[in-house]
Amino acid sequence: MTNLKKQTIEKNIPTWLTILLATACGIIVANLYYAQPLVGVISSSIGLSANSSGFIVTLTQIGYVVGLLFIVPMGDIVENRKLIVVSLLFTAVALVITAVSKQAMLFLAASFVIGLGSVATQVLVPFASYLASESSRGRVVGNVMSGLLLGIMLSRPLSSLIADFFGWHAVFALSATAVIILTIVLSKVLPTRKPSADTHYTALLGSMWHLLRTTPILRRRAAYHACVFASFSLFWTTVPQLLFSPAFHFSQKGIALFALVGVAGAVATPVAGRLADRGLTRPATGIALLTVVISLLLPLIVQTSSPIGIAVLVISSLLLDAGVSANLVLGQRALFSLNPEIRSRLNGLFMAIFFFGGAIGSAIGGWAYAVGGWSTALWIGIAFPIFSILYFATEKK
């Protein structure tokens, strides 16, 4: 590809390609969350004890973090389209295994691989940033991330509804089919991008600790989002248990519809990208972090199983999803403004750190709800974004 042709692509990324990348990110990342509302059903089906059922979600998240640290950085040295296609092929095979699995160990091993291969999303997002011009990068990344966040938010209600009608095996079978089709499409339409960096893989991995130490903006943005994503994971791990409890008596379909309402929070994603393009990252970050705190305070202040209580939970979920979505895009926009040659490594580190925060939130949320109930879980959830606000207050203007 000539330099002239490359510049033309960068300045004029087609709308259809942005939509395709957003759709791809949504389809892929949803695999990390399909099992979350089905943990009880799956664990009993594959013979996993109640005490060990959390591994169904945790191993997928661990696989994702491992992929972020060891696969995503390869986007700085390996042709990106090939890396994406190979990752998706592994994901598809693992999904087929989970769809037919009847043994706990086989299912858990496949869950780990699903997480590992799903990091293709975090090769696609920097890919979109390479194709966009500097002036439109926030908007393009915001639009692509809208697809990713919609995938996260739609995954839970979608898996609940499919499992209710066809059984939980069908969730993974349908996802495997979607990923296979997506792999074929992306292999045909994605432009080639061969990084110019001439670095060995071992040196690439070795450089990541150096990047973390020498890139203050990476440490800050990762810390901010690790905290809010911990709250996000805590909320969505515990609120289905609350709604299913005798206080609300929600059915699986009712919980799915509740989760579906939260999808509207993704509207904050492109808005945040545009604010970042205008140089308003700092005030927008403050608003996003404060929104997360408010979202968790509301259900603490109003605790009732009446329609008012349900309305408060709906508003809380919308605000939480909006705050987390906006903060994510603001962080990625800031990182993608740095050296393009290290962009995949920066994104891998950023995502790994905040997903680790999410795993902590899920684990603590389940424990807090079991030990102290809904209020205890919420207070712990509020502590995370408050810490990020205190850290944010030290940021120099």
Side-chain angles (χ1 to χ4, degrees), residues 114-144:
I114 288 172
L116 196 68
S118 294
V119 296
T121 54
Q122 299 311 323
V123 182
L124 283 167
V125 176
F127 194 99
S129 75
Y130 288 118
L131 300 178
S133 63
E134 177 63 29
S135 62
S136 66
R137 186 164 294 138
R139 175 178 56 81
V140 172
V141 170
N143 288 337
V144 173

Side-chain angles (χ1 to χ4, degrees), residues 173-196:
L174 290 171
S175 182
T177 303
V179 170
I180 291 169
I181 295 172
L182 180 64
T183 304
I184 295 171
V185 172
L186 292 179
S187 68
K188 299 293 183 182
V189 305
L190 282 183
T192 301
R193 181 190 173 263
K194 180 68 175 76
S196 58

Side-chain angles (χ1 to χ4, degrees), residues 136-339:
S136 66
R137 186 164 294 138
R139 175 178 56 81
V140 172
V141 170
N143 288 337
V144 173
M145 289 303 296
S146 293
L148 186 146
L149 291 164
L150 280 172
I152 293 175
M153 296 171 189
L154 284 171
S155 58
R156 285 176 289 261
L158 186 62
S159 66
S160 293
L161 291 173
I162 293 174
D164 193 58
F165 285 105
F166 306 107
W168 68 265
H169 292 279
V171 175
F172 298 98
L174 290 171
S175 182
T177 303
V179 170
I180 291 169
I181 295 172
L182 180 64
T183 304
I184 295 171
V185 172
L186 292 179
S187 68
K188 299 293 183 182
V189 305
L190 282 183
T192 301
R193 181 190 173 263
K194 180 68 175 76
S196 58
D198 185 17
T199 307
H200 292 293
Y201 180 63
T202 52
L204 184 80
L205 293 180
S207 69
M208 293 179 71
W209 174 246
H210 175 75
L211 287 175
L212 186 60
R213 286 192 302 107
T214 58
T215 315
I217 191 171
L218 168 62
R219 295 196 301 272
R220 279 194 170 275
R221 299 306 317 194
Y224 297 161
H225 207 68
C227 288
V228 298
F229 201 64
S231 298
F232 177 88
S233 297
L234 181 147
F235 180 88
W236 286 109
T237 298
T238 55
V239 78
Q241 299 179 61
L242 174 71
L243 295 175
F244 191 71
S245 71
F248 287 92
H249 289 293
F250 269 44
S251 64
Q252 196 70 46
K253 291 179 183 177
I255 294 172
L257 291 173
F258 174 85
L260 195 60
V261 174
V263 171
V267 71
T269 309
V271 175
R274 286 169 171 79
L275 290 174
D277 284 340
R278 296 175 184 174
L280 299 173
T281 297
R282 181 176 168 78
T285 298
I287 293 171
L289 298 178
L290 187 60
T291 299
V292 174
V293 173
I294 294 171
S295 72
L296 297 174
L297 270 176
L298 285 176
L300 260 176
I301 296 170
V302 182
Q303 293 198 40
T304 172
S305 57
S306 68
I308 293 176
I310 296 173
V312 168
L313 287 175
V314 168
I315 294 170
S316 176
S317 69
L318 287 170
L319 291 175
L320 177 64
D321 289 357
V324 173
S325 302
N327 191 66
L328 176 57
V329 171
L330 293 167
Q332 286 193 302
R333 175 63 173 84
L335 293 177
F336 292 164
S337 298
L338 303 178
N339 185 356

